Amino acid sequence: MLKIAVLVSGGGTNLQAIIDAIADGTITNTKIEVVVSSNPRAYALERAMNAGIDTVCISPKSYTDRRGFHQALTEYLLQRNVDLIVLAGFMVVIPEILIRSFRNRIINIHPSLIPSFCGKGYYGIHVHEAALARGVKISGATVHFVDEGTDTGPIIMQKAVEVLADDTPETLQKRIMEQAEWKILPCVINLIAHDRVSVRDNKVRISKD
Ligand code: GAR
């Protein structure tokens, strides 16, 4: 059974997609061990509690410096003995100590087709603002492993979504969530739970079942 920790900061619709996918059997052999929030007011915490999942808030604001926060987050996740960390709208830069402790065992959902509109400053609604400002006709979402860079880790799965002429950042964000994020994130977790994802030379291979 794959034990996962889902890390959140906000609304938690991707967390909800994972909870629903476990409930309806789209994801099997997986248990959400804990939901960790960086923000005590995140609605994602309520979603977790409604589903009977253990929650904890580890906020950078509770520590005098970043090092203390990084240490606490890493130690907590090691102590919970999770197999996989899922970043689902976790708006905190992931510390190197955590990446080293969970090499190729941290995945992130990003709301664009990496390498477009990613890296420093590209998160949440800003990603969609940038995509519309550039006038792209296709955007989408990416699930990737987390390495020391920002959105630079091995890509596991991507899904394209059409940009419409009258899109606003909000309508584009919603369509990308519905058509891409809420599908590919559960799909990747299920593949990992069945040992079908491997990394070699920084590239991901998905084996046939
Ligand atoms: C999602 O669109 C996710 O892809 C994005 O934040 C949103 C969180 O929504 N993540 C990033 O931008 C990470 N760089 P949610 O809390 O409703 O799942």
Side-chain angles (χ1 to χ4, degrees), residues 11-14 89 91 109-111 122-124 177 181:
T13 64
N14 278 288
M91 300 305 180
I109 177 83
H110 183 77
Y122 289 98
Y123 59 90
M177 281 178 159
E181 297 187 41

Side-chain angles (χ1 to χ4, degrees), residues 68-122:
F69 166 67
H70 292 164
Q71 200 86 32
L73 181 65
T74 305
E75 275 168 16
Y76 182 80
L77 290 164
L78 283 171
Q79 173 245 315
R80 290 302 297 244
N81 207 17
V82 294
D83 303 306
L84 180 73
I85 296 171
V86 179
L87 308 182
F90 190 59
M91 300 305 180
V92 170
V93 176
I94 298 302
E96 276 188 36
I97 176 181
L98 185 62
I99 296 164
R100 275 199 305 275
S101 306
F102 288 88
R103 176 71 59 195
N104 288 339
R105 291 195 294 138
I106 308 175
I107 62 172
N108 179 46
I109 177 83
H110 183 77
S112 75
L113 294 174
I114 290 175
S116 291
F117 312 114
C118 64
K120 214 161 175 272
Y122 289 98

